[in-house]
Amino acid sequence: MGTADRVDSSSFDAMALGADIAQGATTALAAMQQALERVAARNPSINAACGVQAELGLDLARALDGELAALTDEQRLALLDERPFLGVPTLLKDLGTAALGLPSAMGSVLYGQVDWSVDAEIVTRYRRAGLIPFGRSTSAELGLSPTSESPVYGAPTQNPWKAGHSAGGSSGGAGAALASGMVRIAHGSDGGGSIRIPASCCGVLGLKPSRGMMPLGPLKGEGWGGLATEHMMTLSVRDCAAALDISAGADVGAPYAAPARPGESYRDIVARVAADPRSAPRRRIAYINTTYEGQAIHPEVAAAVDEAARLFAGLGHELVAAAPPVGSEEVLSPMLPLIASAAANAIDSYVGARNRRLAADELQPTTLGAREYARAISGAQYVACVDACHEITRRIGRFLHREGTQGHDLFLSPVLAQLPAPIGRYAMDNADYLAYRLGKKGVIGYSPFAPLANLTGMPAISIPFGLSADGLPIGIQVMGPLGSEAWLLELAAQVEALRPWQRVAPIAR
């Protein structure tokens, strides 16, 4: 009987595991062995983990155990204040976040395995907090899809709650690895919903922080023209808060200043609300259960938003039925040229550096279409798209700016307009990039809500809020003004306290 069979506490969160290691209830080596055994047992059917470096993970765990062996019990416990994830195994998204010893394929056959000579600053901060990255999690090619079905990984990443359905994208592997119990915390990135979509599909928590909140150096200044950012996806609200505490803040040379943080830690804020869900400040929350244009969405998704609104109203929040002053296509139209241009630049830079022409089978059709589309965009058109994003941001800024009886603190909506899609529904086999995104059967009908937070740079969180009749997770999204991460975490902590979600899918049991 393997270690994972004897002791499988994968339904617990990452901070609980870190505390167990600090207290000597288990070791970092045992935790890593369990993670590797879970990956070996569950990944063949889920396909969420890739690029696993078992010996690297085991060596780092042994080194940490050696460090802890030289400390007293009091010294070990003191470490938890600065290293809340002491010895916790994790996976980094396979989309270019630099990490020593963990090559990345960028979700694409084109790149093969890119080796890194440095750690990204965010990885440095993760390691400093005690996390031990030992592999990657699957992604959509170059992050361009709301599902994780890239041929570089072989089979598509499956939703652990129901085979044949998408785990979301582009951080689908992270969501599936969490929901299947392979790891207790996993890194993701979000340029158009890529943390929140898989979090909703897989029934885990996914926060997209404010623009400038997270470090992106030293190898890049911003992602997708400021649309993209990174954070950990988690099983619990306190893990999400702790991950923000240990990683937030601009790094040296960052192009944006990080928004101001509250005077206390995010962990302390969440702990207070968890102890007394009614202690959180009351907010005015706008909400919709349709698209921005008032079109119907899946009835079970709409019902989840309605139920969430009732829950928040019962806690004393003021709920106002109000849509933001923007249209779904209006949001996506200026974003798509920025995203396609970033993808084209990444492809052309790589192909140019290797001094060999691009082969047609090295990229998926939609990615090739995005590259061709980007080549037709002029500099003036690009700037016009940036200006359009800024105008929309000003408009939404007024919507989420409360003054007396005007404006709102937060905005509640679905994450997705539909239940997690069947595998293949949004596969990147359409060479028409715009049709793939905006067409009648395009992504816009599936994910009209998430991109607004990326365009504006505002934070947004996906909170698990029940299951469909078919057993598929449904998430709700709450979005707030720049720097309002604490407000979002407060609401998530209220939901967790009053409507606790099942932290792993039945398939993981």
Side-chain angles (χ1 to χ4, degrees):
M1 183 178 291
T3 305
D5 294 318
R6 290 198 307 272
V7 181
D8 186 353
S9 57
S10 59
S11 62
F12 301 156
D13 66 3
M15 287 184 68
L17 179 55
D20 283 348
I21 292 170
Q23 294 164 5
T26 189
T27 65
L29 180 60
M32 183 59 67
Q33 289 171 333
Q34 287 177 4
L36 289 168
E37 288 179 16
R38 291 187 191 114
V39 170
R42 301 168 187 174
N43 203 51
S45 61
I46 302 295
N47 201 23
C50 59
V52 171
Q53 304 294 322
E55 289 307 314
L56 174 65
L58 292 169
D59 287 346
L60 291 171
R62 290 189 189 99
L64 176 58
D65 284 337
E67 177 187 342
L68 295 175
L71 302 179
T72 65
D73 291 345
E74 292 76 12
Q75 289 173 324
R76 286 180 174 215
L77 290 176
L79 274 181
L80 280 177
D81 285 337
E82 58 186 82
R83 304 171 76 179
F85 302 115
L86 191 67
V88 175
T90 191
L91 299 171
L92 302 177
K93 184 177 178 180
D94 190 29
L95 199 62
T97 299
L100 292 167
L102 295 176
S104 175
M106 308 289 287
S108 177
V109 171
L110 171 65
Y111 290 86
Q113 292 294 313
V114 177
D115 291 309
W116 305 100
S117 59
V118 297
D119 276 340
E121 174 61 23
I122 199 168
V123 175
T124 297
R125 296 181 187 186
Y126 289 158
R127 294 191 198 276
R128 192 182 299 142
L131 288 163
I132 303 179
F134 69 96
R136 297 280 181 174
S137 60
T138 58
S139 169
E141 184 167 74
L142 297 183
L144 295 177
S145 175
T147 186
S148 300
E149 303 180 30
S150 173
V152 73
Y153 309 117
T157 299
Q158 297 283 336
N159 192 313
W161 290 86
K162 189 172 184 182
H165 287 261
S166 173
S170 61
S171 308
L178 283 174
S180 62
M182 295 183 205
V183 292
R184 303 190 190 192
I185 190 168
H187 163 262
S189 61
D190 191 317
S194 290
I195 284 175
R196 290 158 290 148
I197 293 170
S200 180
C201 287
C202 295
V204 301
L205 195 74
L207 169 69
K208 183 207 85 72
S210 300
R211 183 174 298 149
M213 183 66 81
M214 310 304 289
L216 291 175
L219 300 182
K220 56 185 177 181
E222 63 180 13
W224 285 5
L227 302 178
T229 188
E230 303 179 46
H231 190 42
M232 283 288 180
M233 297 168 64
T234 64
L235 298 174
S236 69
V237 181
R238 70 171 186 167
D239 278 357
C240 184
L244 202 58
D245 283 330
I246 58 93
S247 61
D251 52 339
V252 176
Y256 304 105
R261 294 163 67 176
E264 59 184 324
S265 72
Y266 294 109
R267 272 181 287 178
D268 286 346
I269 292 169
V270 164
R272 183 171 60 252
V273 177
D276 180 5
R278 293 188 176 275
S279 66
R282 290 168 171 79
R283 312 288 179 192
R284 179 180 293 154
I285 305 172
Y287 76 98
I288 57 173
N289 63 2
T290 65
T291 66
Y292 300 145
E293 296 81 7
Q295 295 172 342
I297 60 175
H298 193 285
E300 289 180 283
V301 176
V305 175
D306 290 339
E307 189 174 348
R310 288 192 293 271
L311 173 67
F312 293 142
L315 288 164
H317 299 291
E318 181 184 355
L319 275 292
V320 181
V326 74
S328 304
E329 188 167 337
E330 183 185 18
V331 172
L332 276 173
S333 291
M335 291 177 63
L336 294 179
L338 308 184
I339 295 169
S341 296
N345 179 65
I347 294 164
D348 292 346
S349 297
Y350 181 80
V351 171
R354 76 177 184 180
N355 199 28
R356 177 164 55 85
R357 297 186 63 167
L358 179 69
D361 61 354
E362 290 183 301
L363 293 171
Q364 294 178 269
T366 303
T367 307
L368 286 169
R371 182 177 182 239
E372 292 305 310
Y373 168 71
R375 287 178 164 178
I377 298 169
S378 70
Q381 290 171 323
Y382 188 97
V383 171
C385 290
V386 172
D387 287 344
C389 289
H390 290 168
E391 191 280 323
I392 293 171
T393 300
R394 296 285 185 182
R395 207 186 310 163
I396 300 303
R398 292 189 291 272
F399 179 75
L400 289 177
H401 179 73
R402 182 174 175 182
E403 289 186 352
T405 60
Q406 302 299 312
H408 312 89
D409 295 313
L410 298 169
F411 170 49
L412 166 67
S413 74
V415 178
L416 293 168
Q418 304 295 326
L419 300 177
I423 293 290
R425 174 64 180 82
Y426 295 103
M428 295 209 296
D429 53 11
N430 187 343
D432 187 330
Y433 171 68
L434 287 184
Y436 176 76
R437 301 295 313 201
L438 300 177
K440 288 185 177 180
K441 296 183 178 181
V443 172
I444 189 171
Y446 182 55
S447 178
F449 305 107
L452 183 60
N454 301 93
L455 182 149
T456 61
M458 297 176 186
I461 193 168
S462 173
I463 307 171
F465 210 82
L467 300 174
S468 73
D470 288 339
L472 286 164
I474 299 172
I476 58 168
Q477 176 176 268
V478 185
M479 176 179 162
L482 281 172
S484 64
E485 281 82 356
W487 298 1
L488 304 184
L489 290 169
E490 286 171 346
L491 258 65
Q494 289 181 310
V495 174
E496 186 180 42
L498 299 174
R499 282 182 53 103
W501 50 84
Q502 185 175 326
R503 288 185 177 168
V504 293
I507 195 171
R509 295 187 169 184

